[in-house]
Amino acid sequence: MVYQTTMVILMKKTFLEAIRITEQLINDIMFMLETRTKPNYFTRPTNCKMDFKSLILFQLNFVRKTLQLELDSFFKIIKGVENSITKQGYSEARQKISPDAFIKMADAIITWYYGDNDFKTFKGYRLSAIDASVLEITNSERLRNAFWYSEGKTVKLARAKASGIYDIENDMMITSKITRYTTGERDIAIELIEKLKKSMRLGNPIRLSW
């Protein structure tokens, strides 16, 4: 019972610390400047229905209902106002933020989590698994050109490939990437491993099993 209680407390502390790191980043003016897609975006926050912080928070929220219902609920609960934003307006607004913002947030949390030796290992090793999956994405010409496609008899369907490295012992995804549909799984795996070696300063040798 004491062990279970201690584990619950540790889990809460871990979760709350991750929240604190995320909050620090989205409130950091330099983070906003580095991850907006144009220099003139978010320069007049009072004129924006959804500023940089609001856009980040909404995108981190797990959307369960329709997009418009979620937007209405977000504005009512978080901003305390009834006038929401249309889903078209939101779609335009979110393009002002680079995907790098979410990569930076994820990397910051992973770096913090592995910043000491207070995590599970398997015989001294960080036991991880790598896998890849094919994604069905919106079948637009732009996405077909960017990520490629699978080709049937009469139609070309946009596809992409998602790959990630998962920490089995600590039950968390530690790095991932979406690439072209035709990219080889081994090539992506090597790229992700090299990224981890640099970002996490891995000192132990990496052993691969294909």
Side-chain angles (χ1 to χ4, degrees):
M1 184 67 179
V2 174
Y3 171 77
Q4 291 177 341
T5 303
T6 303
M7 288 304 296
V8 169
I9 292 173
L10 287 174
M11 287 174 66
K12 287 183 177 178
K13 284 183 177 179
T14 299
F15 178 74
L16 291 175
E17 182 65 15
I19 292 295
R20 184 188 66 79
I21 293 170
T22 303
E23 185 178 20
Q24 284 181 339
L25 276 176
I26 62 178
N27 286 315
D28 186 349
I29 185 66
M30 291 305 300
F31 178 68
M32 184 272 287
L33 295 176
E34 291 170 356
T35 56
R36 60 184 179 178
T37 53
K38 288 186 179 180
N40 60 318
Y41 288 158
F42 307 112
T43 54
R44 297 179 181 178
T46 55
N47 295 336
C48 299
K49 276 199 169 183
M50 293 192 80
D51 57 13
F52 179 82
K53 182 177 179 179
S54 297
L55 283 165
I56 292 286
L57 288 175
F58 183 79
Q59 290 180 77
L60 290 176
N61 187 37
F62 184 64
V63 177
R64 296 190 177 119
K65 304 175 184 177
T66 64
L67 179 56
Q68 191 60 60
L69 286 175
E70 289 285 358
L71 286 167
D72 293 342
S73 177
F74 179 84
F75 270 75
K76 186 175 182 179
I77 296 173
I78 304 299
K79 290 182 169 288
V81 296
E82 295 291 339
N83 293 331
S84 180
I85 187 175
T86 65
K87 59 183 181 181
Q88 292 84 1
Y90 163 72
S91 296
E92 292 177 6
R94 70 178 181 178
Q95 294 180 37
K96 297 178 180 180
I97 299 178
S98 167
D100 290 342
F102 301 94
I103 296 173
K104 287 177 180 288
M105 284 189 288
D107 288 347
I109 292 172
I110 294 300
T111 300
W112 157 74
Y113 189 85
Y114 293 100
D116 52 32
N117 292 320
D118 189 20
F119 53 85
K120 297 178 183 178
T121 61
F122 179 76
K123 296 183 178 180
Y125 288 91
R126 302 177 189 181
L127 186 60
S128 302
I130 303 175
D131 198 10
S133 299
V134 174
L135 302 178
E136 294 184 10
I137 56 180
T138 302
N139 192 32
S140 66
E141 183 179 358
R142 180 182 179 187
L143 290 180
R144 287 196 298 270
N145 292 335
F147 294 102
W148 213 238
Y149 51 84
S150 62
E151 192 167 5
K153 292 183 179 180
T154 59
V155 65
K156 296 177 180 179
L157 299 173
R159 294 289 185 267
K161 185 167 289 183
S163 304
I165 299 181
Y166 184 78
D167 183 335
I168 298 173
E169 294 294 321
N170 294 284
D171 191 25
M172 63 189 299
M173 187 70 71
I174 52 180
T175 189
S176 60
K177 187 174 184 179
I178 298 177
T179 60
R180 285 173 67 91
Y181 171 59
T182 53
T183 307
E185 290 190 23
R186 288 197 178 195
D187 294 333
I188 307 172
I190 292 171
E191 182 180 342
L192 292 177
I193 290 170
E194 289 300 320
K195 177 187 174 183
L196 282 184
K197 287 168 66 177
K198 293 177 182 178
S199 63
M200 298 173 63
R201 299 182 177 87
L202 299 181
N204 293 335
I206 296 177
R207 295 182 180 178
L208 303 179
S209 178
W210 301 101

